[in-house]
Amino acid sequence: METKVVKPYKIKESSQKDAAYRKLIKPELADELYDKILTIVIAGKKYRDADFSAQRLAQELDTNPRYLSAVVNSRYGQNYSCLVNEFRIRDAQYMLTDKRYKDMTMEEIGRAVGFMNRQSFYAAFFKYKGMSPHKFRSLYA
């Protein structure tokens, strides 16, 4: 008898779609855009802004969202939302284990790293770490 594993959040496995426009990316332009994405989203910590969408990033970079999406996918191997959430979870891990943030609630930490609500924070955290932020804090703090 096979046991079915039920995940506590509705997490979908990402799948690669073969979009023809991704093959049209010019490597030198993609590299330039890649560097700008790193500067704005990662170094500038824009990922902490819950309202900083791929659309806004594309506007800031003076490109279109589809091209931006293609570059993120080809360079990072994931979509924009996953890229942003990865950095949010890294920040959350740090905050959950640093004594300076021990009095912050899960909701406060989630908002501080850029999640709009507790549910999206918990779902993303579980996807990347395989446990809730609360359990992570109790194990590693």
Side-chain angles (χ1 to χ4, degrees):
M1 179 179 224
E2 189 176 314
T3 306
K4 185 178 180 183
V5 177
V6 178
K7 294 183 179 183
Y9 303 99
K10 294 179 182 175
I11 299 173
K12 294 180 183 176
E13 295 297 323
S14 61
S15 61
Q16 289 288 346
K17 296 177 184 168
D18 188 30
Y21 66 90
R22 289 186 184 139
K23 294 180 177 106
L24 301 175
I25 300 171
K26 294 181 182 175
E28 56 279 351
L29 292 175
D31 289 342
E32 184 181 327
L33 193 57
Y34 171 77
D35 290 340
K36 289 178 181 178
I37 293 167
L38 285 175
T39 302
I40 293 169
V41 177
I42 302 357
K45 298 192 186 261
K46 287 284 192 171
Y47 60 86
R48 288 184 174 174
D49 179 353
D51 295 321
F52 196 74
S53 64
Q55 179 74 33
R56 280 186 49 200
L57 178 59
Q59 288 171 344
E60 200 166 307
L61 295 171
D62 198 28
T63 190
N64 73 52
R66 282 186 92 172
Y67 190 75
L68 173 73
S69 174
V71 170
V72 168
N73 199 294
S74 69
R75 294 295 193 250
Y76 294 100
Q78 57 190 344
N79 65 33
Y80 176 80
S81 295
C82 289
L83 173 70
V84 167
N85 283 346
E86 183 178 321
F87 285 94
R88 288 173 176 167
I89 297 305
R90 287 181 188 183
D91 275 6
Q93 283 180 250
Y94 172 75
M95 292 177 78
L96 289 166
T97 57
D98 190 310
K99 289 180 171 65
R100 293 176 292 175
Y101 304 104
K102 70 177 181 175
D103 293 330
M104 288 180 76
T105 66
M106 295 302 144
E107 290 81 5
E108 290 169 331
I109 290 173
R111 279 194 307 273
V113 300
F115 288 99
M116 288 209 177
N117 57 54
R118 183 179 184 269
Q119 176 65 19
S120 60
F121 174 45
Y122 269 65
F125 200 93
F126 189 87
K127 177 181 177 184
Y128 286 94
K129 303 309 298 173
M131 66 182 79
S132 73
H134 187 274
K135 181 167 183 157
F136 182 87
R137 178 182 258 177
S138 68
L139 290 174
Y140 297 102

